[in-house]
Amino acid sequence: MSLIVFPEALSTSVIVFLLMASAVTSMITATLGAGGGVLLLVLMASWLPPAAIIPVHGMIQLGSNSGRAILTRHHIDWKVIAAFAPGVLAGAGLGAWLLVDLPAHLWQLSIALFVLYLCWGPGLPKASFGPFGVFIASAITSFVSLFVGATGPLVAAFIKQIHTDRFRTVATFGTAMTLQHAPKALVFGVAGFVFSEWLLFILVMIACGFAGTWLGLHLLKSINNRWFHTAFNLVLTLLAFRLLWQAACSAGWLG
């Protein structure tokens, strides 16, 4: 039996599990810099109706990243965010206009390979991290985010190249993803998704995520920058390999 105030598509046990998952995955992202959002997306995809996965996950991530940005506001690199924000508008605007069905395996493969390059390949030219480079990265990832919902690792890997301080990385990434998830409410609302049916679920998931973020940031204080970046690279690499596996499955390369 489902809780009356929550979507009928979810049973009480599933709702409780997902609320706990929201707290744990937010703690993972706050401590390791990335990974929690994609993990939550995987878990939600196991129970939510397909049409609800990306818009509902997007709103939950909007709240979760907003909480992380607020708690780490003194560490945000506002110069990066100033260049990132216009790119979000450009990418989301183009995506909302096209609303195309993009081949999943092509985007999964592209994101995975670029994340691996950013983590383990030679550093990008300095010009890539100037205002124009950040704008282009923001526009591309914001466009793709409307269709695949898995661009967090790519944004995280890009921002990781800019900062060495763990708090600066977490704070700037959280703020960037807040901006990137914000247009989804408008885009999917205009497309006909009924957010009101999921509102309470989204709000409670955000509250649990905030608790996880608070705990994760306290854990972040106990590690140094070198350990953080090693763990960050490993988490992003695992996410990239998962995307490669998904691409292979989507394209039928595994038979």
Side-chain angles (χ1 to χ4, degrees):
M1 172 185 278
S2 299
L3 294 174
I4 296 176
V5 292
F6 286 108
E8 294 183 359
L10 305 179
S11 67
T12 301
S13 58
V14 168
I15 290 171
V16 172
F17 175 80
L18 290 177
L19 293 178
M20 294 173 61
S22 180
V24 172
T25 55
S26 292
M27 181 181 70
I28 291 172
T29 299
T31 306
L32 301 181
V38 174
L39 177 56
L40 185 62
L41 179 64
V42 172
L43 295 174
M44 289 174 61
S46 300
W47 290 287
L48 268 66
I53 296 171
I54 292 182
V56 172
H57 177 264
M59 292 304 95
I60 293 170
Q61 288 302 292
L62 172 61
S64 179
N65 283 286
S66 296
R68 191 159 70 255
I70 291 170
L71 291 174
T72 59
R73 60 191 178 278
H74 299 301
H75 300 277
I76 297 170
D77 185 339
W78 290 108
K79 290 183 179 179
V80 170
I81 297 303
F84 195 89
V88 170
L89 295 176
L94 181 61
W97 178 54
L98 293 177
L99 283 177
V100 293
D101 186 13
L102 299 173
H105 68 279
L106 293 181
W107 290 110
Q108 290 161 343
L109 182 63
S110 300
I111 293 171
L113 292 178
F114 201 59
V115 166
L116 291 174
Y117 176 84
L118 289 174
C119 286
W120 307 108
L124 294 175
K126 272 192 172 181
S128 302
F129 306 110
F132 183 71
V134 173
F135 171 83
I136 294 298
S138 172
I140 293 173
T141 55
S142 297
F143 174 83
V144 177
S145 178
L146 292 175
F147 306 101
V148 301
T151 55
L154 183 53
V155 177
F158 183 79
I159 290 177
K160 177 189 77 72
Q161 294 262 329
I162 303 176
H163 298 298
T164 56
D165 178 74
R166 62 194 187 281
F167 279 98
R168 202 118 168 112
T169 299
V170 169
T172 306
F173 174 54
T175 307
M177 293 309 294
T178 297
L179 294 174
Q180 195 166 86
H181 285 298
K184 290 184 179 180
L186 177 61
V187 172
F188 285 103
V190 171
F193 185 77
V194 184
F195 280 103
S196 60
E197 296 178 1
W198 293 86
L199 183 59
L200 183 59
F201 175 72
I202 291 171
L203 292 176
V204 180
M205 287 285 284
I206 290 173
C208 290
F210 187 84
T213 295
W214 182 84
L215 179 59
L217 290 175
H218 278 73
L219 292 175
L220 185 61
K221 294 177 182 178
S222 65
I223 62 178
N224 57 41
N225 287 329
R226 183 177 179 181
W227 191 96
F228 170 80
H229 284 287
T230 298
F232 199 15
N233 280 344
L234 291 175
V235 169
L236 290 176
T237 299
L238 290 174
L239 294 176
F241 280 131
R242 175 182 172 273
L243 284 171
L244 289 175
W245 175 264
Q246 285 182 308
C249 292
S250 299
W253 297 333
L254 299 179

